[in-house]
Amino acid sequence: MLTIEDIKTLIKELDSSSLSELKLEAEDGKITLRKADAFAGKVKTIVEAAPQTTAVQAPSAQLEPQSNTSAEPAAAEANTDADPSLHKITAPMVGTFYSSSSPDADAFVSKGSKVDKKSVVCIVEAMKLFNEIEADCKGTIVDVLVEDGQLVEYGQPLFLVKED
Amino acid sequence: MVQRVEHSTKGAILKLLYTHNDQFLSGQWISEHIGCSRTAVWKHIQSLIAEGYQISSVQKKGYKLIDAPMGLSEAAVSAHLTTKVIGRHICFYDAIGSTQKEALRLADEGAEHGTVVLTNEQTSGRGRLGHTWQSQRGTNIALSLILRPELPIDQTPQLTLLTAVAAAETIEKQAGLSCGIKWPNDLLFEGKKLVGILTELMAEATYVKAVVIGIGFNVNTTAFPDPIKSEAASLASLTGKQFALAPIVQQFFASFETLYQLYLSEGFKKIRPLWEKRALNLGKQIKVRQPGGRVLIGTALGINDDGVLRLKKTDGTIANVYSADVEWD
């Protein structure tokens, strides 16, 4: 059985690792720890069916969600799950999401923008390598799931596209 | 196909003069070597002299290159090149808007691995997120290198750190200055920036089409304008000497090629100690300014085997930093 101290240790370990999520299952229950950065600024500590444990707050200051964004990712997640027919443009690497080519330029795309395969939709940057992400499909952007300047994880959905 | 700008008879003669700049070459020998008439050789030599090349011409001995005008040429760089791949195809422009933009265009058209776009003057150099890089005609180096690495996308950012190591080695060997690297790829000497690097990835889904590395060396600029005076330096401003540009370019190609081969065969773990050896502020307190306004303060522990910056925060936990500007007091 996991003690609170065990869970605290796990959170610390997860925090300093490159993992974004940790799931543990035992006879007496299961626990899921997910980093804030791993999903659009949302801190999640889910403890399921384990009467011995209580929910623990993620300890790191870095992982605190920005208050104005915390509600949106949940909606995005629901949206993603709700309509599997939408094409997801995902992050090909860990890095920072930029919606425009420079701070004073317009966003590459926004909700309602028409895109085709070669349309640049955003930039993901890591270690000063800039990766222009192309839509890779033809259609209309129906949702932008992340904000300019946000850290994104490998495989994280960035945009939802309704394909033509 | 790739456009070869200075790929002409004149360029070929110039390259021969550079390659054999320790001896006289007869007009006859040059004309046979290149496959043109002796009159054509004479005409091109006159044209080179008009462009500012000092070519000694001695009866019965031939021609010898004494000095060249300020700046670079394809011939000057390719004549004594020691690399196998990097810089073996040079697209040289006396002036161009941006080497990076041209290299991205050439990469899209299928330019081969190791192709370099090189210029004497960038009229609208591109920097990261709108920052611009100064490059006056013939005083500094601006080039963009096209790579076709067979790497997973998530490893390509490591190339920025590798490039910084290659640039630091270049400056050490050519100017005797030991630069520090600020994570991930800024080269500083006594707090002033000497080299700017901009790396862009062209990818399709999970497949890397090309990586284009733009690099600018501040070489012979002696006076920087006011806003950047406190932040920028050149080899000339630091040493009081002027430098020939071609040997620096050649050294960079050689250093890069060696490190790149090591990286492909052994992985980033072999590049890591070379980077950390030159890293600034390891073990010291730094401020990590992340996009979106987040700031982390802590001790720089180094990088991991992926090139990610490891920061020990004030609460004792360790953060992996993928994307940030590093600052310190």
Side-chain angles (χ1 to χ4, degrees), chain A residues 12 15-18 59-62 66 92-96 98 100-103 118 125-132 134 136 149-151, chain B residues 108 128-129 153-154 156-157 160-161 183-185 198-201 209 291-292 294 296 306-308 313 317-320 322-325:
Chain A
K12 267 198 178 148
D15 200 19
S16 61
S17 77
S18 60
S60 156
Q62 184 209 359
Q66 291 161 288
M93 61 185 202
V94 181
T96 300
Y98 290 106
S100 63
S101 61
S102 66
K118 296 281 272 180
E125 175 266 341
M127 301 184 229
K128 306 292 186 220
L129 175 132
F130 293 80
N131 184 2
E132 283 193 350
E134 294 174 354
D136 206 31
Q150 188 179 315
L151 190 68
Chain B
D108 201 41
R128 187 176 69 85
L129 297 172
I153 287 179
D154 59 352
T156 54
T160 69
L161 286 83
W183 188 87
N185 66 2
L198 169 68
T199 307
E200 292 177 90
L201 174 69
K209 287 197 291 186
R294 296 176 297 269
L296 301 178
D306 291 327
V308 172
K313 292 184 288 182
T317 60
I318 292 168
N320 287 329
Y322 288 87
S323 175
D325 285 317

Short mmCIF file of all heavy atoms in Angstrom, two decimals, chain A residues 12 15-18 59-62 66 92-96 98 100-103 118 125-132 134 136 149-151, chain B residues 108 128-129 153-154 156-157 160-161 183-185 198-201 209 291-292 294 296 306-308 313 317-320 322-325:
data_model
loop_
_atom_site.label_atom_id
_atom_site.label_comp_id
_atom_site.label_asym_id
_atom_site.label_seq_id
_atom_site.Cartn_x
_atom_site.Cartn_y
_atom_site.Cartn_z
N LYS A 12 7.85 13.78 -6.88
CA LYS A 12 9.18 14.39 -7.07
C LYS A 12 9.93 13.72 -8.22
O LYS A 12 10.54 14.37 -9.06
CB LYS A 12 10.01 14.28 -5.78
CG LYS A 12 9.85 15.51 -4.91
CD LYS A 12 10.97 15.61 -3.89
CE LYS A 12 10.80 16.88 -3.08
NZ LYS A 12 11.27 16.78 -1.72
N ASP A 15 8.41 14.61 -11.47
CA ASP A 15 8.70 16.02 -11.77
C ASP A 15 10.07 16.18 -12.42
O ASP A 15 10.26 16.96 -13.34
CB ASP A 15 8.65 16.80 -10.45
CG ASP A 15 8.44 18.28 -10.69
OD1 ASP A 15 7.99 18.62 -11.80
OD2 ASP A 15 8.72 19.06 -9.79
N SER A 16 11.04 15.39 -11.96
CA SER A 16 12.40 15.57 -12.48
C SER A 16 12.67 14.63 -13.65
O SER A 16 13.74 14.62 -14.21
CB SER A 16 13.42 15.32 -11.37
OG SER A 16 13.28 14.00 -10.90
N SER A 17 11.70 13.84 -14.04
CA SER A 17 11.91 12.91 -15.15
C SER A 17 11.39 13.52 -16.44
O SER A 17 10.78 14.60 -16.43
CB SER A 17 11.16 11.60 -14.89
OG SER A 17 9.78 11.79 -15.14
N SER A 18 11.61 12.83 -17.54
CA SER A 18 11.08 13.32 -18.81
C SER A 18 9.68 12.73 -19.06
O SER A 18 9.08 12.97 -20.09
CB SER A 18 12.03 12.95 -19.94
OG SER A 18 12.17 11.56 -19.99
N PRO A 59 3.33 19.46 -6.21
CA PRO A 59 4.03 20.40 -5.37
C PRO A 59 4.76 21.54 -6.10
O PRO A 59 5.08 22.54 -5.51
CB PRO A 59 5.07 19.52 -4.67
CG PRO A 59 5.34 18.42 -5.68
CD PRO A 59 4.09 18.24 -6.47
N SER A 60 5.00 21.36 -7.39
CA SER A 60 5.95 22.27 -8.02
C SER A 60 5.33 23.59 -8.43
O SER A 60 4.27 23.65 -9.02
CB SER A 60 6.52 21.58 -9.26
OG SER A 60 6.98 22.55 -10.15
N ALA A 61 6.08 24.63 -8.13
CA ALA A 61 5.62 25.97 -8.51
C ALA A 61 5.57 26.09 -10.04
O ALA A 61 4.68 26.71 -10.59
CB ALA A 61 6.55 27.02 -7.95
N GLN A 62 6.54 25.45 -10.69
CA GLN A 62 6.62 25.56 -12.15
C GLN A 62 5.36 24.99 -12.81
O GLN A 62 4.94 25.42 -13.86
CB GLN A 62 7.83 24.77 -12.66
CG GLN A 62 8.06 24.91 -14.15
CD GLN A 62 8.72 23.70 -14.73
OE1 GLN A 62 9.05 22.74 -14.04
NE2 GLN A 62 8.92 23.71 -16.03
N GLN A 66 -1.67 28.34 -15.32
CA GLN A 66 -2.05 29.74 -15.38
C GLN A 66 -3.56 29.77 -15.22
O GLN A 66 -4.28 29.05 -15.90
CB GLN A 66 -1.63 30.34 -16.72
CG GLN A 66 -0.13 30.46 -16.84
CD GLN A 66 0.28 30.61 -18.28
OE1 GLN A 66 0.23 29.66 -19.05
NE2 GLN A 66 0.67 31.81 -18.65
N PRO A 92 5.11 17.24 -32.83
CA PRO A 92 6.05 16.17 -33.16
C PRO A 92 7.21 16.07 -32.18
O PRO A 92 8.03 15.17 -32.26
CB PRO A 92 6.56 16.56 -34.55
CG PRO A 92 6.45 18.05 -34.57
CD PRO A 92 5.29 18.42 -33.67
N MET A 93 7.30 17.03 -31.26
CA MET A 93 8.37 17.00 -30.27
C MET A 93 7.98 17.88 -29.08
O MET A 93 7.05 18.67 -29.17
CB MET A 93 9.68 17.51 -30.89
CG MET A 93 9.62 18.95 -31.39
SD MET A 93 11.15 19.44 -32.25
CE MET A 93 11.03 21.23 -32.11
N VAL A 94 8.70 17.70 -27.97
CA VAL A 94 8.50 18.56 -26.81
C VAL A 94 9.03 19.94 -27.14
O VAL A 94 10.08 20.06 -27.77
CB VAL A 94 9.28 18.00 -25.60
CG1 VAL A 94 9.05 18.88 -24.36
CG2 VAL A 94 8.89 16.58 -25.32
N GLY A 95 8.33 20.97 -26.75
CA GLY A 95 8.86 22.31 -26.99
C GLY A 95 7.81 23.37 -26.74
O GLY A 95 6.75 23.10 -26.19
N THR A 96 8.16 24.59 -27.15
CA THR A 96 7.23 25.70 -26.96
C THR A 96 6.42 25.92 -28.23
O THR A 96 6.96 25.91 -29.33
CB THR A 96 8.02 27.00 -26.65
OG1 THR A 96 8.77 26.79 -25.47
CG2 THR A 96 7.07 28.17 -26.44
N TYR A 98 4.44 28.23 -30.68
CA TYR A 98 4.27 29.62 -31.10
C TYR A 98 3.20 29.69 -32.18
O TYR A 98 3.28 28.96 -33.17
CB TYR A 98 5.58 30.19 -31.66
CG TYR A 98 6.65 30.41 -30.61
CD1 TYR A 98 7.74 29.56 -30.53
CD2 TYR A 98 6.56 31.47 -29.72
CE1 TYR A 98 8.72 29.75 -29.57
CE2 TYR A 98 7.53 31.67 -28.76
CZ TYR A 98 8.61 30.81 -28.68
OH TYR A 98 9.58 31.01 -27.74
N SER A 100 2.63 32.36 -34.00
CA SER A 100 3.01 33.25 -35.10
C SER A 100 4.52 33.22 -35.28
O SER A 100 5.25 32.71 -34.43
CB SER A 100 2.54 34.68 -34.80
OG SER A 100 3.19 35.15 -33.64
N SER A 101 5.00 33.82 -36.39
CA SER A 101 6.43 33.76 -36.69
C SER A 101 7.23 34.74 -35.86
O SER A 101 8.43 34.58 -35.69
CB SER A 101 6.67 34.03 -38.18
OG SER A 101 6.20 35.32 -38.50
N SER A 102 6.61 35.78 -35.34
CA SER A 102 7.29 36.70 -34.43
C SER A 102 6.22 37.34 -33.54
O SER A 102 5.03 37.31 -33.89
CB SER A 102 8.08 37.75 -35.20
OG SER A 102 7.19 38.59 -35.91
N PRO A 103 6.65 37.90 -32.40
CA PRO A 103 5.64 38.37 -31.44
C PRO A 103 4.66 39.39 -32.03
O PRO A 103 3.51 39.44 -31.62
CB PRO A 103 6.50 39.02 -30.34
CG PRO A 103 7.83 38.37 -30.46
CD PRO A 103 8.00 38.05 -31.91
N LYS A 118 0.07 21.90 -47.03
CA LYS A 118 1.32 22.64 -46.84
C LYS A 118 1.18 23.90 -45.98
O LYS A 118 2.15 24.60 -45.76
CB LYS A 118 1.90 23.03 -48.22
CG LYS A 118 2.30 21.85 -49.11
CD LYS A 118 3.64 21.26 -48.72
CE LYS A 118 4.79 21.96 -49.44
NZ LYS A 118 6.09 21.39 -49.06
N GLU A 125 9.22 25.02 -30.86
CA GLU A 125 10.65 25.27 -30.69
C GLU A 125 11.18 24.52 -29.48
O GLU A 125 10.56 24.51 -28.42
CB GLU A 125 10.89 26.78 -30.49
CG GLU A 125 12.33 27.18 -30.18
CD GLU A 125 12.66 27.30 -28.70
OE1 GLU A 125 11.73 27.43 -27.88
OE2 GLU A 125 13.84 27.24 -28.35
N ALA A 126 12.32 23.86 -29.66
CA ALA A 126 13.04 23.29 -28.52
C ALA A 126 14.51 23.55 -28.74
O ALA A 126 15.01 23.37 -29.85
CB ALA A 126 12.79 21.78 -28.41
N MET A 127 15.20 24.00 -27.73
CA MET A 127 16.65 24.25 -27.77
C MET A 127 17.02 25.11 -28.97
O MET A 127 18.03 24.87 -29.63
CB MET A 127 17.43 22.94 -27.79
CG MET A 127 17.16 22.07 -26.59
SD MET A 127 18.20 20.62 -26.67
CE MET A 127 17.04 19.34 -26.38
N LYS A 128 16.17 26.07 -29.28
CA LYS A 128 16.38 27.02 -30.38
C LYS A 128 16.34 26.37 -31.77
O LYS A 128 16.86 26.92 -32.73
CB LYS A 128 17.70 27.80 -30.22
CG LYS A 128 17.86 28.51 -28.90
CD LYS A 128 16.89 29.66 -28.72
CE LYS A 128 17.21 30.41 -27.43
NZ LYS A 128 16.00 30.83 -26.71
N LEU A 129 15.75 25.20 -31.85
CA LEU A 129 15.44 24.64 -33.16
C LEU A 129 13.96 24.90 -33.41
O LEU A 129 13.12 24.56 -32.58
CB LEU A 129 15.75 23.15 -33.23
CG LEU A 129 15.32 22.48 -34.55
CD1 LEU A 129 16.44 21.63 -35.11
CD2 LEU A 129 14.07 21.64 -34.36
N PHE A 130 13.70 25.54 -34.54
CA PHE A 130 12.34 25.97 -34.85
C PHE A 130 11.74 25.05 -35.91
O PHE A 130 12.30 24.88 -36.98
CB PHE A 130 12.35 27.43 -35.34
CG PHE A 130 12.74 28.38 -34.25
CD1 PHE A 130 14.07 28.56 -33.91
CD2 PHE A 130 11.78 29.06 -33.52
CE1 PHE A 130 14.44 29.41 -32.89
CE2 PHE A 130 12.13 29.92 -32.50
CZ PHE A 130 13.47 30.10 -32.19
N ASN A 131 10.61 24.47 -35.56
CA ASN A 131 9.97 23.50 -36.42
C ASN A 131 8.62 24.06 -36.87
O ASN A 131 7.72 24.22 -36.07
CB ASN A 131 9.78 22.21 -35.61
CG ASN A 131 9.20 21.09 -36.43
OD1 ASN A 131 8.96 21.23 -37.62
ND2 ASN A 131 8.95 19.96 -35.79
N GLU A 132 8.54 24.42 -38.13
CA GLU A 132 7.27 24.91 -38.67
C GLU A 132 6.37 23.72 -38.92
O GLU A 132 6.70 22.84 -39.71
CB GLU A 132 7.50 25.68 -39.98
CG GLU A 132 8.05 27.07 -39.78
CD GLU A 132 7.99 27.92 -41.03
OE1 GLU A 132 7.69 27.38 -42.11
OE2 GLU A 132 8.24 29.13 -40.93
N GLU A 134 3.22 21.87 -40.41
CA GLU A 134 2.25 22.00 -41.50
C GLU A 134 0.97 21.24 -41.14
O GLU A 134 1.00 20.28 -40.38
CB GLU A 134 2.85 21.46 -42.80
CG GLU A 134 4.02 22.31 -43.28
CD GLU A 134 4.74 21.73 -44.49
OE1 GLU A 134 4.40 20.61 -44.91
OE2 GLU A 134 5.65 22.41 -45.01
N ASP A 136 -0.87 19.31 -42.91
CA ASP A 136 -0.86 17.93 -43.39
C ASP A 136 -2.25 17.38 -43.69
O ASP A 136 -2.46 16.18 -43.75
CB ASP A 136 -0.11 17.02 -42.39
CG ASP A 136 0.47 15.80 -43.09
OD1 ASP A 136 0.82 15.94 -44.27
OD2 ASP A 136 0.56 14.73 -42.46
N GLY A 149 3.13 30.41 -26.66
CA GLY A 149 4.12 30.40 -25.57
C GLY A 149 3.99 29.22 -24.62
O GLY A 149 4.76 29.09 -23.68
N GLN A 150 3.04 28.35 -24.87
CA GLN A 150 2.83 27.22 -23.97
C GLN A 150 3.77 26.06 -24.29
O GLN A 150 4.09 25.81 -25.44
CB GLN A 150 1.38 26.76 -24.14
CG GLN A 150 0.93 25.72 -23.14
CD GLN A 150 -0.52 25.36 -23.38
OE1 GLN A 150 -1.37 26.23 -23.57
NE2 GLN A 150 -0.80 24.08 -23.39
N LEU A 151 4.20 25.35 -23.24
CA LEU A 151 5.02 24.16 -23.44
C LEU A 151 4.12 23.00 -23.85
O LEU A 151 3.10 22.77 -23.21
CB LEU A 151 5.76 23.82 -22.14
CG LEU A 151 6.84 22.74 -22.26
CD1 LEU A 151 8.01 23.24 -23.09
CD2 LEU A 151 7.34 22.32 -20.88
N ASP B 108 14.03 22.68 -50.08
CA ASP B 108 12.73 22.26 -50.58
C ASP B 108 12.83 21.73 -52.00
O ASP B 108 12.08 20.84 -52.40
CB ASP B 108 11.76 23.46 -50.51
CG ASP B 108 10.31 23.01 -50.50
OD1 ASP B 108 10.02 22.02 -49.82
OD2 ASP B 108 9.49 23.64 -51.20
N ARG B 128 16.10 34.84 -34.92
CA ARG B 128 15.03 34.15 -34.23
C ARG B 128 13.90 35.12 -33.90
O ARG B 128 14.12 36.18 -33.34
CB ARG B 128 15.60 33.58 -32.93
CG ARG B 128 14.67 32.70 -32.16
CD ARG B 128 15.42 32.15 -30.97
NE ARG B 128 15.71 33.20 -30.00
CZ ARG B 128 14.86 33.58 -29.06
NH1 ARG B 128 13.69 33.03 -28.97
NH2 ARG B 128 15.19 34.52 -28.20
N LEU B 129 12.71 34.74 -34.25
CA LEU B 129 11.52 35.50 -33.92
C LEU B 129 11.69 37.00 -34.16
O LEU B 129 11.42 37.83 -33.31
CB LEU B 129 11.12 35.25 -32.46
CG LEU B 129 10.73 33.80 -32.14
CD1 LEU B 129 10.54 33.61 -30.67
CD2 LEU B 129 9.48 33.41 -32.89
N ILE B 153 12.58 13.19 -35.24
CA ILE B 153 12.40 14.63 -35.06
C ILE B 153 12.83 15.10 -33.67
O ILE B 153 13.48 16.13 -33.54
CB ILE B 153 10.92 15.01 -35.31
CG1 ILE B 153 10.62 14.92 -36.82
CG2 ILE B 153 10.61 16.42 -34.81
CD1 ILE B 153 9.20 15.25 -37.20
N ASP B 154 12.50 14.31 -32.65
CA ASP B 154 12.77 14.81 -31.30
C ASP B 154 14.27 14.87 -30.95
O ASP B 154 14.65 15.41 -29.94
CB ASP B 154 11.98 14.02 -30.25
CG ASP B 154 12.31 12.53 -30.27
OD1 ASP B 154 13.02 12.09 -31.18
OD2 ASP B 154 11.84 11.81 -29.37
N THR B 156 16.49 16.15 -33.28
CA THR B 156 17.11 17.20 -34.09
C THR B 156 17.50 18.46 -33.31
O THR B 156 18.48 19.10 -33.69
CB THR B 156 16.20 17.59 -35.28
OG1 THR B 156 14.90 17.92 -34.80
CG2 THR B 156 16.09 16.46 -36.29
N PRO B 157 16.80 18.81 -32.20
CA PRO B 157 17.26 20.00 -31.47
C PRO B 157 18.69 19.89 -30.95
O PRO B 157 19.35 20.90 -30.72
CB PRO B 157 16.25 20.11 -30.31
CG PRO B 157 15.01 19.47 -30.82
CD PRO B 157 15.51 18.32 -31.66
N THR B 160 21.57 21.94 -32.48
CA THR B 160 21.89 23.34 -32.17
C THR B 160 23.06 23.41 -31.19
O THR B 160 23.91 24.29 -31.29
CB THR B 160 20.66 24.09 -31.59
OG1 THR B 160 20.35 23.58 -30.30
CG2 THR B 160 19.44 23.96 -32.48
N LEU B 161 23.10 22.47 -30.26
CA LEU B 161 24.20 22.44 -29.30
C LEU B 161 25.50 22.01 -29.98
O LEU B 161 26.57 22.54 -29.71
CB LEU B 161 23.88 21.51 -28.12
CG LEU B 161 22.85 22.03 -27.12
CD1 LEU B 161 21.43 21.80 -27.58
CD2 LEU B 161 23.04 21.43 -25.74
N TRP B 183 23.43 28.17 -22.76
CA TRP B 183 22.43 27.20 -23.24
C TRP B 183 21.35 27.90 -24.06
O TRP B 183 20.87 28.93 -23.66
CB TRP B 183 21.78 26.49 -22.04
CG TRP B 183 20.89 25.36 -22.46
CD1 TRP B 183 21.26 24.06 -22.69
CD2 TRP B 183 19.48 25.44 -22.71
NE1 TRP B 183 20.16 23.35 -23.08
CE2 TRP B 183 19.07 24.16 -23.11
CE3 TRP B 183 18.54 26.47 -22.66
CZ2 TRP B 183 17.74 23.86 -23.44
CZ3 TRP B 183 17.23 26.20 -23.01
CH2 TRP B 183 16.83 24.90 -23.38
N PRO B 184 20.97 27.32 -25.19
CA PRO B 184 21.59 26.11 -25.78
C PRO B 184 22.73 26.42 -26.76
O PRO B 184 23.63 25.63 -26.88
CB PRO B 184 20.42 25.49 -26.54
CG PRO B 184 19.56 26.66 -26.94
CD PRO B 184 19.72 27.70 -25.87
N ASN B 185 22.69 27.59 -27.43
CA ASN B 185 23.67 27.75 -28.51
C ASN B 185 24.19 29.17 -28.73
O ASN B 185 24.59 29.51 -29.84
CB ASN B 185 23.11 27.17 -29.83
CG ASN B 185 21.91 27.95 -30.35
OD1 ASN B 185 21.51 28.94 -29.74
ND2 ASN B 185 21.35 27.54 -31.45
N LEU B 198 20.74 30.10 -35.92
CA LEU B 198 19.28 29.92 -36.09
C LEU B 198 19.06 28.61 -36.82
O LEU B 198 19.55 28.42 -37.93
CB LEU B 198 18.70 31.07 -36.90
CG LEU B 198 17.26 30.90 -37.37
CD1 LEU B 198 16.29 30.92 -36.22
CD2 LEU B 198 16.88 31.99 -38.36
N THR B 199 18.37 27.68 -36.19
CA THR B 199 18.18 26.36 -36.78
C THR B 199 16.71 26.12 -37.08
O THR B 199 15.86 26.34 -36.22
CB THR B 199 18.72 25.28 -35.82
OG1 THR B 199 20.06 25.62 -35.49
CG2 THR B 199 18.69 23.91 -36.47
N GLU B 200 16.45 25.69 -38.29
CA GLU B 200 15.06 25.42 -38.67
C GLU B 200 14.92 24.01 -39.22
O GLU B 200 15.79 23.52 -39.94
CB GLU B 200 14.59 26.46 -39.69
CG GLU B 200 14.47 27.84 -39.06
CD GLU B 200 14.09 28.93 -40.05
OE1 GLU B 200 12.88 29.16 -40.22
OE2 GLU B 200 15.00 29.55 -40.63
N LEU B 201 13.81 23.39 -38.85
CA LEU B 201 13.55 22.01 -39.25
C LEU B 201 12.46 21.98 -40.30
O LEU B 201 11.46 22.66 -40.18
CB LEU B 201 13.10 21.23 -38.01
CG LEU B 201 12.64 19.79 -38.22
CD1 LEU B 201 13.81 18.91 -38.61
CD2 LEU B 201 11.98 19.26 -36.96
N LYS B 209 12.81 16.11 -43.29
CA LYS B 209 13.21 16.38 -44.67
C LYS B 209 14.57 17.06 -44.68
O LYS B 209 15.46 16.69 -45.44
CB LYS B 209 12.16 17.27 -45.35
CG LYS B 209 10.88 16.53 -45.69
CD LYS B 209 10.05 17.29 -46.71
CE LYS B 209 9.48 18.56 -46.11
NZ LYS B 209 8.55 19.25 -47.02
N PRO B 291 9.04 31.12 -22.46
CA PRO B 291 7.99 31.81 -23.22
C PRO B 291 6.70 31.82 -22.39
O PRO B 291 6.46 30.91 -21.61
CB PRO B 291 7.82 30.93 -24.46
CG PRO B 291 9.10 30.18 -24.57
CD PRO B 291 9.57 29.96 -23.17
N GLY B 292 5.92 32.86 -22.58
CA GLY B 292 4.68 32.96 -21.82
C GLY B 292 4.91 33.64 -20.48
O GLY B 292 4.00 33.71 -19.66
N ARG B 294 6.89 32.83 -17.89
CA ARG B 294 7.29 32.09 -16.70
C ARG B 294 8.79 32.27 -16.47
O ARG B 294 9.57 32.26 -17.41
CB ARG B 294 7.00 30.59 -16.88
CG ARG B 294 5.54 30.27 -17.02
CD ARG B 294 5.34 28.78 -17.29
NE ARG B 294 5.94 28.35 -18.53
CZ ARG B 294 5.31 28.34 -19.70
NH1 ARG B 294 4.07 28.73 -19.78
NH2 ARG B 294 5.92 27.93 -20.79
N LEU B 296 12.00 30.78 -14.02
CA LEU B 296 12.47 29.83 -13.02
C LEU B 296 13.84 30.30 -12.55
O LEU B 296 14.64 30.77 -13.36
CB LEU B 296 12.64 28.42 -13.61
CG LEU B 296 11.42 27.73 -14.21
CD1 LEU B 296 11.84 26.38 -14.78
CD2 LEU B 296 10.35 27.56 -13.17
N ASP B 306 20.07 14.18 -23.69
CA ASP B 306 19.27 14.70 -24.80
C ASP B 306 19.60 16.15 -25.12
O ASP B 306 19.10 16.70 -26.08
CB ASP B 306 17.77 14.63 -24.45
CG ASP B 306 17.27 13.20 -24.40
OD1 ASP B 306 17.78 12.36 -25.18
OD2 ASP B 306 16.39 12.90 -23.57
N GLY B 307 20.42 16.77 -24.28
CA GLY B 307 20.74 18.19 -24.48
C GLY B 307 19.83 19.13 -23.71
O GLY B 307 19.95 20.34 -23.81
N VAL B 308 18.92 18.54 -22.92
CA VAL B 308 17.97 19.33 -22.14
C VAL B 308 18.68 19.93 -20.92
O VAL B 308 19.45 19.25 -20.25
CB VAL B 308 16.80 18.43 -21.69
CG1 VAL B 308 15.88 19.15 -20.72
CG2 VAL B 308 16.03 17.92 -22.90
N LYS B 313 15.95 23.72 -8.81
CA LYS B 313 15.21 24.90 -8.36
C LYS B 313 15.43 25.14 -6.88
O LYS B 313 15.96 24.29 -6.16
CB LYS B 313 13.72 24.70 -8.66
CG LYS B 313 13.46 24.71 -10.16
CD LYS B 313 11.99 24.62 -10.48
CE LYS B 313 11.47 23.23 -10.18
NZ LYS B 313 10.05 23.10 -10.52
N THR B 317 13.79 20.69 -6.12
CA THR B 317 13.39 19.80 -7.21
C THR B 317 14.13 20.17 -8.49
O THR B 317 14.67 21.28 -8.61
CB THR B 317 11.87 19.87 -7.47
OG1 THR B 317 11.54 21.21 -7.82
CG2 THR B 317 11.07 19.43 -6.26
N ILE B 318 14.17 19.22 -9.41
CA ILE B 318 14.92 19.44 -10.64
C ILE B 318 13.96 19.60 -11.81
O ILE B 318 13.04 18.79 -11.98
CB ILE B 318 15.91 18.29 -10.87
CG1 ILE B 318 17.00 18.35 -9.79
CG2 ILE B 318 16.54 18.38 -12.26
CD1 ILE B 318 17.86 17.14 -9.71
N ALA B 319 14.17 20.65 -12.58
CA ALA B 319 13.33 20.88 -13.75
C ALA B 319 14.13 20.61 -15.01
O ALA B 319 15.33 20.92 -15.08
CB ALA B 319 12.82 22.32 -13.76
N ASN B 320 13.49 19.98 -15.98
CA ASN B 320 14.09 19.82 -17.30
C ASN B 320 13.60 20.94 -18.19
O ASN B 320 12.41 21.09 -18.40
CB ASN B 320 13.69 18.48 -17.91
CG ASN B 320 14.39 17.32 -17.24
OD1 ASN B 320 15.52 17.47 -16.76
ND2 ASN B 320 13.75 16.19 -17.18
N TYR B 322 13.34 22.70 -21.76
CA TYR B 322 13.43 22.44 -23.20
C TYR B 322 13.52 23.71 -24.01
O TYR B 322 13.98 23.71 -25.16
CB TYR B 322 12.19 21.66 -23.67
CG TYR B 322 12.17 20.23 -23.22
CD1 TYR B 322 11.62 19.88 -21.99
CD2 TYR B 322 12.71 19.22 -24.01
CE1 TYR B 322 11.62 18.58 -21.55
CE2 TYR B 322 12.70 17.90 -23.59
CZ TYR B 322 12.15 17.59 -22.37
OH TYR B 322 12.15 16.29 -21.95
N SER B 323 13.04 24.80 -23.42
CA SER B 323 12.85 25.99 -24.22
C SER B 323 12.88 27.20 -23.30
O SER B 323 12.04 27.32 -22.43
CB SER B 323 11.48 25.86 -24.91
OG SER B 323 11.17 27.02 -25.61
N ALA B 324 13.89 28.06 -23.46
CA ALA B 324 13.98 29.23 -22.57
C ALA B 324 15.14 30.11 -22.97
O ALA B 324 16.01 29.70 -23.74
CB ALA B 324 14.18 28.78 -21.13
N ASP B 325 15.14 31.33 -22.46
CA ASP B 325 16.32 32.19 -22.53
C ASP B 325 16.95 32.20 -21.15
O ASP B 325 16.28 32.44 -20.16
CB ASP B 325 15.91 33.61 -22.93
CG ASP B 325 15.59 33.70 -24.41
OD1 ASP B 325 16.34 33.11 -25.21
OD2 ASP B 325 14.58 34.34 -24.77
#
